[in-house]
């Protein structure tokens, strides 16, 4: 069960991608996908799979559960900049801020967020440090 419909999907290559929009008028991408382009207000927005890898731009560790959150703590939270120029506010798999560095390469994965009473697992996305990259 995705945490929200339409935010991410897994492609034919088994790689997870965030689903954004690309404007048919100004050609700029955005996330999450909107009905109209946030840059020029054109309605010609088509769905696009965004890059699954980006660079770390800002981050923190969350040790206390936010209101309404029943998943695991601690977890990381931050901003990853995609090659498209989009900064995505995202969960991070690394909860220890001292183990992360500005500009380090991060890749996206789908992770379980929380189980409900009927055994359904809500899935969300997180960025993890790209293996082998500095
Ligand atoms: Zn536009």
């Amino acid at each position: 069960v995705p945490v929200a419909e339409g935010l991410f999907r897994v492609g034919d290559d088994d790689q997870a991608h965030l689903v954004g929009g690309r404007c048919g008028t100004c050609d700029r991408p955005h996330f999450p996908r909107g009905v109209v382009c946030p840059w020029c207000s054109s309605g010609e927005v088509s769905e696009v799979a965004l890059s699954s890898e980006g660079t770390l731009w800002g981050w923190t560790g969350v040790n206390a559960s936010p209101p309404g959150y029943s998943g695991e703590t601690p977890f990381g939270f931050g901003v990853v900049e995609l090659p498209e120029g989009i900064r995505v506010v995202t969960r991070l798999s690394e909860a220890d801020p001292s183990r992360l560095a500005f500009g380090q390469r991060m890749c996206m994965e789908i992770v379980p967020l929380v189980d409900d009473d009927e055994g359904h697992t809500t899935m969300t996305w997180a960025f993890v440090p790209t293996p082998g990259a500095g």
Side-chain angles (χ1 to χ4, degrees):
V1 183
V3 65
E5 288 293 334
L7 289 177
F8 60 85
R9 66 172 180 225
V10 177
D12 297 335
D13 54 359
D14 280 344
Q15 176 61 56
H17 297 274
L18 292 173
V19 176
R22 182 178 291 279
C23 177
T25 302
C26 72
D27 203 38
R28 294 185 74 171
H30 58 268
F31 175 84
R33 186 194 168 181
V35 179
V36 299
C37 173
W39 311 108
C40 72
S41 301
S42 165
E44 289 184 53
V45 174
S46 56
E47 185 175 295
V48 62
L50 298 173
S51 298
S52 54
E53 199 174 53
T55 54
L56 189 61
W57 196 77
W59 66 96
T60 188
V62 178
N63 294 305
S65 294
Y69 175 80
S70 56
E72 285 181 21
T73 54
F75 61 92
F77 192 73
V79 178
V80 169
E81 185 169 275
L82 302 180
E84 288 89 343
I86 298 173
R87 288 178 185 148
V88 178
V89 178
T90 179
R91 185 182 177 92
L92 305 173
S93 63
E94 176 57 69
D96 181 353
S98 70
R99 297 182 64 183
L100 296 168
F102 183 85
Q104 92 178 77
R105 297 193 68 77
M106 306 287 285
C107 61
M108 183 189 159
E109 65 174 16
I110 304 299
V111 296
L113 181 63
V114 62
D115 293 331
D116 70 14
D117 296 339
E118 288 156 17
H120 300 123
T121 301
T122 299
M123 305 299 286
T124 190
W125 80 87
F127 276 83
V128 302
T130 302

